[in-house]
Amino acid sequence: MSARVSSEVKEWSFSRKAITVFTICYAFLYMFPRPFSEIPGLDLVFSVYTKPVELAVVWFGKTVLGLTKLEKIAVTGSGDTTFDYVNLLVTFLLSIVATIVIILVSKKKNFESWFQLTWIYARYYVGLFLILYGVIKFFNGQFQPTHIFRLEQTYGESSPMGLLWTFMGHSSAYTFFGGFIEFVAGVLLLFRRTTIAGALMGFGVMLNVAAMNFCYDVPVKLFSSHLVLLSIFIVSPYLGSLYRFFFKQESLRLKIDPIAFKQDWQRVTHKVSKIVLLVLCSLAIVLMIIQVNSATGNGTYAESFNGSYEVKTFVKNGDTIPVLMSDTLRWNKVLMEEGNIVIKTVRGRGNYYALKTDTIANQLIITSYKDSTKIFKLNYKRLPNEELLVKGKWESDTLELLWKQKKKSDYELNNRGFHWINEYPFNR
């Protein structure tokens, strides 16, 4: 099938014009200015557009919808905030208005050229985001290996999203595989000859991702759903041919003709622009990976302390405190990993602190997240059998504790490993 427009301009029906123009307006308003705004430095340039849009969305939400507390909150990792839904509604309504105005004012017989430009934009939009998500998975940027805090958490205490993240993060091989499929689909979308293959692969990948987001309550439902819809949009000119190929066994040749440039400078500008865009986007991805890796660890924490510690003995001010279920103060378990420490009482309540380890002075330096002026220094001594003798002042009390370490490798989830042969299912 060829995407080249015939020299004889055919006039579309009113319904086709309306549907096409609405699709173009909605797709463009939803996508712009991403992914270009993700490039370092360009976010400031595009803020000339994004800031007024954000203000308009907030105004619409407060004035029209009555959401008096609506605001564009800082990045939280959620793409399904109230602001995002209001923004989507505004985009939808503006697309309807724009469609009506364009259809009434424009004398164009068809909107093929507009469709082609939006189609190219959608290719790069979906392709680059698939590449981004794929590459991030290569470096554990999205799903980290299961940390000690998760290993000590029961299934019942975890959220659906936390359960999904644990599932994905447990197997780095499976995460890499998922990222590789996303990466390949994204790369295929960037090149004309492989666009259809990339769109079909991207549709399958993102349909699965969107399903998981909906089923496990991951707050990226809007974005993943739109990547699915945009994948359909990209392959839409060829749906009839694909139907005949898969369901009627008809032979066909799918072909996307290159853009016809009238001048050489237009062709050169197109190629240079594409190269510059890919280089800048690659730079943005590299910087994001560096940022993700630098965010883990504080450089003053020894990973040998990672693990869960059972508080076997708890001596406060010279008195040995027994384990009583009614006790809300006695420490029962201590969890340490990547510069964080959680101290749990017998009743299961946990308090979070920042942790530094001084292996020369043999000290644990614990700082409260709630009050950074509260700093506790506990001396430690390593004993045989993975035990740790800890002494020091905590608030106004003098503590002497004996901890028994359980490393991440001691958990069944981590030490089970892979088995080609299983006489019986090991399903616990």
Side-chain angles (χ1 to χ4, degrees), residues 362-391:
N362 288 344
Q363 278 191 336
L364 303 176
I365 305 170
I366 303 172
T367 305
S368 171
Y369 279 123
K370 297 180 180 179
D371 184 356
S372 59
T373 62
K374 286 189 175 182
I375 302 176
F376 310 99
K377 295 183 179 181
L378 303 179
N379 298 311
Y380 71 85
K381 180 181 179 181
R382 289 194 177 276
L383 302 177
N385 301 319
E386 305 294 344
E387 290 185 337
L388 209 65
L389 181 62
V390 181
K391 299 179 180 180

Side-chain angles (χ1 to χ4, degrees), residues 274-335:
K274 182 175 182 177
I275 294 173
V276 170
L277 174 63
L278 294 180
V279 170
L280 290 176
C281 288
S282 300
L283 176 62
I285 292 174
V286 171
L287 292 176
M288 185 174 294
I289 293 171
I290 294 174
Q291 183 180 8
V292 168
N293 290 334
S294 63
T296 57
N298 56 23
T300 56
Y301 173 79
E303 293 190 1
S304 60
F305 286 90
N306 286 349
S308 170
Y309 295 80
E310 176 190 357
V311 182
K312 300 186 70 174
T313 60
F314 187 89
V315 180
K316 183 171 71 172
N317 300 325
D319 295 326
T320 301
I321 310 299
V323 178
L324 299 174
M325 292 306 298
S326 59
D327 195 338
T328 60
L329 299 177
R330 185 196 189 278
W331 298 4
N332 183 54
K333 189 166 289 187
V334 176
L335 313 177

Side-chain angles (χ1 to χ4, degrees), residues 170-193:
H170 171 69
S171 174
S172 57
Y174 183 75
T175 299
F176 185 93
F177 171 75
F180 179 75
I181 297 299
E182 290 177 336
F183 178 81
V184 171
V187 171
L188 292 176
L189 278 167
L190 300 184
F191 299 95
R192 174 178 51 83
R193 296 181 180 180

Side-chain angles (χ1 to χ4, degrees), residues 21-33:
V21 172
F22 173 80
T23 303
I24 291 171
C25 292
Y26 183 85
F28 180 83
L29 290 174
Y30 177 81
M31 294 186 293
F32 189 78

Side-chain angles (χ1 to χ4, degrees), residues 136-427:
I136 286 178
K137 287 181 176 65
F138 297 159
F139 299 92
N140 293 327
Q142 186 176 14
F143 305 109
Q144 292 79 28
T146 310
H147 51 70
I148 195 69
F149 310 113
R150 186 71 75 183
L151 290 169
E152 282 290 322
Q153 186 181 40
T154 66
Y155 276 107
E157 293 173 336
S158 64
S159 66
M161 178 179 175
L163 184 62
L164 175 61
W165 250 240
T166 303
F167 163 73
M168 293 294 297
H170 171 69
S171 174
S172 57
Y174 183 75
T175 299
F176 185 93
F177 171 75
F180 179 75
I181 297 299
E182 290 177 336
F183 178 81
V184 171
V187 171
L188 292 176
L189 278 167
L190 300 184
F191 299 95
R192 174 178 51 83
R193 296 181 180 180
T194 55
T195 293
I196 299 174
L200 291 174
M201 186 180 295
F203 170 76
V205 169
M206 290 313 304
L207 184 62
N208 178 59
V209 171
M212 289 194 296
N213 290 343
F214 277 93
C215 296
Y216 288 88
D217 194 32
V218 181
V220 200
K221 305 175 189 69
L222 294 179
F223 181 63
S224 58
S225 298
H226 278 78
L227 289 181
V228 173
L229 294 174
L230 288 170
S231 297
I232 296 174
F233 172 74
I234 294 169
V235 81
S236 62
Y238 312 96
L239 288 176
S241 298
L242 291 171
Y243 173 79
R244 292 192 297 272
F245 175 78
F246 284 110
F247 297 100
K248 294 189 175 182
Q249 291 82 49
E250 295 182 8
S251 60
L252 58 94
R253 180 188 180 193
L254 294 174
K255 183 181 179 183
I256 305 176
D257 288 333
I259 302 174
F261 296 103
K262 297 180 180 180
Q263 303 292 335
D264 289 339
W265 68 266
Q266 293 176 329
R267 183 179 299 103
V268 173
T269 301
H270 173 261
K271 289 184 178 181
V272 171
S273 300
K274 182 175 182 177
I275 294 173
V276 170
L277 174 63
L278 294 180
V279 170
L280 290 176
C281 288
S282 300
L283 176 62
I285 292 174
V286 171
L287 292 176
M288 185 174 294
I289 293 171
I290 294 174
Q291 183 180 8
V292 168
N293 290 334
S294 63
T296 57
N298 56 23
T300 56
Y301 173 79
E303 293 190 1
S304 60
F305 286 90
N306 286 349
S308 170
Y309 295 80
E310 176 190 357
V311 182
K312 300 186 70 174
T313 60
F314 187 89
V315 180
K316 183 171 71 172
N317 300 325
D319 295 326
T320 301
I321 310 299
V323 178
L324 299 174
M325 292 306 298
S326 59
D327 195 338
T328 60
L329 299 177
R330 185 196 189 278
W331 298 4
N332 183 54
K333 189 166 289 187
V334 176
L335 313 177
M336 292 192 285
E337 187 168 17
E338 294 182 355
N340 296 285
I341 181 170
V342 177
I343 300 174
K344 290 189 172 185
T345 64
V346 177
R347 297 288 293 272
R349 296 176 59 184
N351 294 310
Y352 289 75
Y353 301 87
L355 173 65
K356 294 182 180 179
T357 55
D358 187 340
T359 54
I360 298 177
N362 288 344
Q363 278 191 336
L364 303 176
I365 305 170
I366 303 172
T367 305
S368 171
Y369 279 123
K370 297 180 180 179
D371 184 356
S372 59
T373 62
K374 286 189 175 182
I375 302 176
F376 310 99
K377 295 183 179 181
L378 303 179
N379 298 311
Y380 71 85
K381 180 181 179 181
R382 289 194 177 276
L383 302 177
N385 301 319
E386 305 294 344
E387 290 185 337
L388 209 65
L389 181 62
V390 181
K391 299 179 180 180
K393 294 282 291 186
W394 189 270
E395 299 287 357
S396 59
D397 299 317
T398 300
L399 302 182
E400 182 175 332
L401 316 168
L402 181 63
W403 297 352
K404 172 69 174 179
Q405 184 181 22
K406 182 178 182 180
K407 297 182 178 180
K408 293 173 70 174
S409 57
D410 296 329
Y411 289 83
E412 188 71 56
L413 183 65
N414 291 333
N415 63 30
R416 165 64 180 171
F418 174 81
H419 299 77
W420 282 107
I421 299 175
N422 289 276
E423 302 298 349
Y424 301 95
F426 190 75
N427 186 4

